[in-house]
Amino acid sequence: MPAQGAGASEGAQGLFHWRGDALVVGGGGIGQALLQALAQRAPALRLWATSRRPWPAGRVVPPERVLGLDLTDDSSLEACARRLQEEDVQLRLVINTAGLLHDGDLQPEKRLQQLQRSSLERLFSVNAYGPALLARSLEPLLPRQEPVHFASLSARVGSIGDNQLGGWYGYRAAKAAQNQLLRCLALEWERRLPLACVSLLHPGTTATALSEPFRRSVPAEQLFKPERAANQLLDVIAAQGPAHSGRFLAWDGTTIPW
């Protein structure tokens, strides 16, 4: 049964008319495109962003609303939450786009003998632990009497039931672990924050730095520009409400098996 209470009448489709604050975590291609799309589609939301890189002038979020954040560092998470509290932020929407697939010597494994403990720890720290600890840090900033949405990018390759190829041990496992952690979060918030919705989202193969080394065989019609991916993700988010919390969804709104 959908949650009732003050603000519930806004409904999921009211996302683009919500007032309050929105935070996009991650300054990569999808994160930047989401900020642009939100500025156009949800003008009543005050936008905040996080980035580990210098923030160029002229972007839709001014530099004073861009926070440094390292999802693998508890002190960084705490500092980010404190800064938002100081600004009296009430987060209606949080979208985590941060993820790690490759970085220098860290590459997706093709066979068992390529597994390394250090690589697994890095992949899990960003892709699994990071989103759950982000939710823990930001929970005090979520209003109790209005609808809230917490979304995090997952990946179809994190589906255990859909895995027909193997390989990519660490990334697959870390995304599957994120799915479980945030599924637990959705069930807890169903009791404690009944107007909240948690979504795990697969954006499709998108032309960003994360996918660049692996997309040569992707048909052109299946490779999304960040702007298209961002708007598709927002369409999916807008269609979800508290009764849908804890779902693992593709860019077109279809359910992905766990």
Side-chain angles (χ1 to χ4, degrees), residues 48-211:
W48 297 79
T50 75
S51 178
R52 295 188 300 158
R53 302 179 181 87
W55 197 257
R59 291 188 173 173
V60 295
V61 178
E64 62 268 21
R65 281 194 258 127
V66 180
L67 313 178
L69 177 61
D70 181 350
L71 289 180
T72 69
D73 183 341
D74 285 349
S75 63
S76 179
L77 285 162
E78 292 167 3
C80 179
R82 279 198 306 272
R83 168 71 190 286
L84 293 171
Q85 286 177 322
E86 291 168 357
E87 298 288 342
D88 196 28
V89 164
Q90 292 287 297
L91 288 173
R92 304 293 305 280
L93 175 64
V94 178
I95 308 177
N96 171 50
T97 71
L100 175 64
L101 173 58
H102 59 89
D103 182 23
D105 292 337
L106 173 65
Q107 296 293 325
E109 311 89 352
K110 295 181 180 179
R111 56 192 178 90
L112 180 65
Q113 292 305 313
Q114 294 176 331
L115 274 181
Q116 296 183 22
R117 183 180 300 275
S118 59
S119 296
L120 289 170
E121 289 173 345
R122 287 186 65 193
L123 289 165
F124 269 73
S125 186
V126 174
N127 298 314
Y129 313 151
L133 294 173
L134 174 70
R136 184 193 68 177
S137 298
L138 298 180
E139 186 184 56
L141 301 169
L142 306 179
R144 270 51 178 174
Q145 302 302 319
E146 296 177 301
V148 171
H149 205 118
F150 184 96
S152 186
L153 297 193
S154 185
R156 187 179 292 275
V157 296
S159 166
I160 296 173
D162 191 57
N163 184 0
Q164 304 297 322
L165 297 175
W168 289 32
Y169 285 82
Y171 187 73
R172 286 183 185 274
K175 288 296 188 179
Q178 179 198 192
N179 291 351
Q180 180 70 292
L181 287 164
L182 295 192
R183 174 67 177 172
C184 289
L185 174 69
L187 292 169
E188 178 179 344
W189 279 0
E190 184 179 345
R191 300 185 295 270
R192 297 181 49 244
L193 279 76
L195 296 181
C197 181
V198 177
S199 296
L200 291 142
L201 304 175
H202 167 60
T205 304
T206 306
T208 64
L210 184 140
S211 70

